[in-house]
Amino acid sequence: HVQLVESGGGSVQVGGSLRLSCQASGEISSDYCVGWYRQVPGKAREAVATIDSDGIATYADSVKGRFTISQDNAKNTLNLQMNSLKPEDTAMYYCAAGPTLNEYTYWGQGTQVTVS
């Protein structure tokens, strides 16, 4: 049974940076899609950045040029480098992995990011 554990969240000032990491406890197929999502209470979860099975990264318009998603298959980790953070980036961030971008098998428990 694979578990995803996020880390790296915290509180940061506007304009600051954070690096989120997602560690998988077991091996995840290299064909799987992976992604970072975020959710604010009372709002729907939204995709922040994803990597599809072809290795193509896609970003939400709101984070383009500021966030970078990366994957280290050897270490079973997924990272999200977040720069130039804004208050509207405040949310719970989740990592996910699954066979398609619309079908995630595994979700992490989330890590809180607060920008003020």
Side-chain angles (χ1 to χ4, degrees), residues 58-112:
T58 302
Y59 298 89
D61 288 341
S62 60
V63 307
K64 282 180 181 177
R66 299 188 298 122
F67 290 12
T68 302
I69 188 172
S70 61
Q71 185 177 15
D72 186 337
N73 289 329
K75 296 182 179 179
N76 279 342
T77 60
L78 180 69
N79 300 304
L80 184 68
Q81 178 66 42
M82 305 187 296
N83 299 327
S84 302
L85 283 162
K86 304 176 180 180
E88 51 263 44
D89 295 319
T90 296
M92 184 72 77
Y93 283 72
Y94 301 88
C95 63
T100 74
L101 292 176
N102 296 314
E103 182 185 356
Y104 285 106
T105 306
Y106 308 110
W107 286 91
Q109 82 291 346
T111 186
Q112 179 67 39

Side-chain angles (χ1 to χ4, degrees), residues 2-6 22-25 28 95-97 106-110:
V2 174
Q3 288 187 318
L4 303 180
V5 179
E6 301 97 336
C22 174
Q23 179 71 54
S25 61
I28 293 178
C95 63
Y106 308 110
W107 286 91
Q109 82 291 346

